[in-house]
Structure formats: C-alpha cells, structure tokens
Amino acid sequence: MALREVLLEQLKSVHDENSWFVCFNYAVRELEEPQAVEKVQGQPHSIAEIVHHLYFYNERYLSRFRGEEVAERPRHYDTFQNHGQMEWHSRVADFQVVMTMFRQEIQSCSQEKLEMWAETLSNLFMHNAYHIGQIVTIRKRNGWWGVNPVVKG
C-alpha cells in the first residue's frame, strides 16, 4: 500500500469508518449537548471539550498543510475550552468539514509534500484516535453508549 493510501486509511479510520477502533462519527453519534458538556467525575474534560481540542489541532494542522499562516497562541492557551462559545452540533459539523478537507488535500497534494508531512499527519491521526477513545469511554461509563459498533479486528 502506498503512503497516500495509508494516510487516507488512517484518516478514514479516525473520521468516518469504524475499523480496529471506533471512528469519530460513530463516537459522537446521537450525542446531545447536555451529555456532551457534562463533566464526568474523575475525567478532566467533557466530551465537548475533547471535541474542541480535536478541532483546534486538526484545523491548525490543515491550515499548515495548505501553506496558510497560523496564528500563534499563548503558551497557556487551553485548547479544550470553547473559546468561540460554539454550539455542540456546530462544533461537530466544523470538525467534519476539517476532516473532509484534509481528505481532499491528501488526495490531491504532491508526493513530495506527502512524504514531508507523513509522520506529522500519522501522529495527528493517532492523537485523534486516542481522544476518540476517551469519548467512547465517557459514553460507556455514563450509559450513553447504545449500539455496539461493528469493528474489524
């Protein structure tokens, strides 16, 4: 499998198709804002905060990948906070757009660019998988996980 296909497969696995683990779309499926913003005892972040964090990093890396300038943030900037006071479903939709644009960029970029970015993109997608696992864990602990996903393995 070529590098482009590997990265597209990783992106698909964390975004919109269950594979060895649950993808983002399935992890947040049918989750409403009251559940998303609830802080669970023993967890440092709510599901909504985790999604803000994922959006923050994926949007910034997409911009960098496209060659766009990315504003620096203060060292203490909390990426888990809802700085724009986004409504839950809007933030999920924003994340969907970023991931779709990432897919398009990876499909159309040069091989040289892909090779230069491969490690960074792979690490970003693993970062996504880690936090998606947190979302699933929070949902299961709170009884918000209904249907068992079909996961390859």
Side-chain angles (χ1 to χ4, degrees):
M1 186 181 286
L3 177 59
R4 189 177 315 272
E5 285 73 34
V6 169
L7 291 171
L8 287 169
E9 186 65 28
Q10 284 185 337
L11 188 148
K12 182 172 57 175
S13 294
V14 296
H15 177 221
D16 58 3
E17 188 175 303
N18 289 341
S19 184
W20 287 83
F21 47 85
V22 175
C23 68
F24 178 83
N25 284 356
Y26 199 92
V28 299
R29 191 176 86 179
E30 299 175 4
L31 188 64
E32 295 301 323
E33 188 158 5
Q35 295 168 321
V37 300
E38 185 176 322
K39 285 263 193 158
V40 178
Q41 186 177 6
Q43 284 289 122
H45 302 291
S46 69
I47 291 172
E49 289 171 335
I50 293 168
V51 172
H52 292 302
H53 175 76
L54 288 173
Y55 174 78
F56 175 84
Y57 278 105
N58 284 272
E59 190 273 333
R60 289 176 73 81
Y61 276 94
L62 174 63
S63 294
R64 288 180 179 139
F65 188 73
R66 296 168 124 183
E68 300 168 356
E69 196 166 317
V70 176
E72 290 299 318
R73 297 286 183 209
R75 187 175 186 100
H76 64 278
Y77 188 82
D78 187 350
T79 62
F80 289 92
Q81 291 304 306
N82 185 359
H83 295 283
Q85 300 307 309
M86 292 289 296
E87 188 262 339
W88 164 247
H89 292 291
S90 295
R91 178 54 79 209
V92 169
D94 288 348
F95 184 78
Q96 301 289 2
V97 168
V98 167
M99 298 309 283
T100 299
M101 290 169 34
F102 242 134
R103 179 175 284 128
Q104 292 167 353
E105 291 291 329
I106 292 170
Q107 288 171 332
S108 64
C109 74
S110 71
Q111 185 65 26
E112 294 81 20
K113 183 176 187 176
L114 202 59
E115 289 171 7
M116 184 173 71
W117 276 86
E119 183 178 352
T120 299
L121 292 177
S122 183
N123 286 332
L124 178 65
F125 299 152
M126 285 190 294
H127 170 257
N128 290 352
Y130 170 78
H131 286 298
I132 292 164
Q134 288 180 312
I135 292 169
V136 171
T137 299
I138 292 169
R139 289 192 72 173
K140 285 182 175 185
R141 284 185 182 161
N142 285 284
W144 304 333
W145 191 254
V147 181
N148 291 328
V150 176
V151 179
K152 299 176 189 175

